[in-house]
Amino acid sequence: MSSKDQPSANVLTFKKGHYVFTDHLEEVHPEGTSVPFLTAKGILITAEGDSFRGDIATVKISDLVLKQSTFIDDNGKALEAHKLYVWPRNLGSTKEWTANKLEFLNEFVLNFPIEIISLEESNGVTWKYITPENFKKTPEGIEASAAFQDYAAHQSEYFFLRRPLNEPK
């Protein structure tokens, strides 16, 4: 089954927690919509109240760069997330918008641990980079899927990148 036909029911939206997207950055074209969204497979540790859940799943990663989303830099400065990537010259081209978002996510998000700090209305999120060491600290009593347990058992084999040296855009 190609990513174009992938049912969006298998795709998660963000919850508060820590994420590292590892691969399968893809465009998804849901039926009845003109604009595709982007997904990626990641390792996630999400918080729900006082409990934590570890999983490996496909998440709607394009929510990181929505107009409603906010990126917090290392100095605590808030930036509108949709300004992190280079906009296309032809603002009417869905294909160019998608290509530029893919390029940004591939270069500045894949393999970089991030934290979703808060959730906004209409799928926007507030996020920042965290260190690989911070990501690898698994909370006590985490409810973990079989895939996450496998990651935890082989954690030393996983290499994650540190915050990009250059600010995006």
Side-chain angles (χ1 to χ4, degrees):
M1 172 158 53
S2 82
S3 67
K4 304 256 188 257
D5 305 322
Q6 180 180 352
S8 53
N10 299 347
V11 177
L12 303 178
T13 54
F14 284 108
K15 293 181 178 179
K16 286 183 184 181
H18 295 175
Y19 296 76
V20 176
F21 293 99
T22 53
D23 53 10
H24 299 293
L25 179 59
E26 297 177 340
E27 267 181 68
V28 176
H29 298 267
E31 259 187 67
T33 62
S34 58
V35 179
F37 61 83
L38 306 172
T39 63
K41 184 175 165 191
I43 304 166
L44 36 137
I45 301 170
T46 54
E48 293 184 33
D50 294 337
S51 64
F52 295 92
R53 175 149 174 74
D55 204 355
I56 294 180
T58 300
V59 179
K60 188 176 173 186
I61 193 173
S62 51
D63 287 355
L64 290 175
V65 291
L66 287 175
K67 186 173 177 75
Q68 305 89 311
S69 293
T70 304
F71 168 72
I72 308 291
D73 72 10
D74 285 350
N75 300 318
K77 182 179 163 199
L79 302 164
E80 292 179 44
H82 73 286
K83 293 183 177 177
L84 293 173
Y85 62 94
V86 178
W87 293 2
R89 289 176 195 247
N90 177 1
L91 295 178
S93 169
T94 299
K95 188 176 182 179
E96 286 179 47
W97 278 104
T98 303
N100 289 8
K101 288 177 191 175
L102 272 169
E103 184 181 341
F104 168 79
L105 294 168
N106 203 24
E107 187 174 341
F108 291 106
V109 177
L110 236 53
N111 298 307
F112 290 98
I114 63 169
E115 177 180 0
I116 301 299
I117 301 165
S118 65
L119 306 170
E120 316 301 328
E121 289 180 29
S122 61
N123 295 338
V125 296
T126 298
W127 64 281
K128 68 178 184 177
Y129 292 110
I130 58 173
T131 64
E133 294 82 5
N134 193 339
F135 181 83
K136 287 185 175 184
K137 289 179 190 162
T138 305
E140 292 282 327
I142 189 169
E143 181 188 325
S145 69
F148 187 87
Q149 288 173 15
D150 186 61
Y151 152 74
H154 300 95
Q155 203 177 56
S156 62
E157 298 169 23
Y158 285 78
F159 178 78
F160 303 131
L161 301 172
R162 297 195 173 273
R163 177 188 65 80
L165 294 176
N166 300 322
E167 283 298 317
K169 197 173 182 183

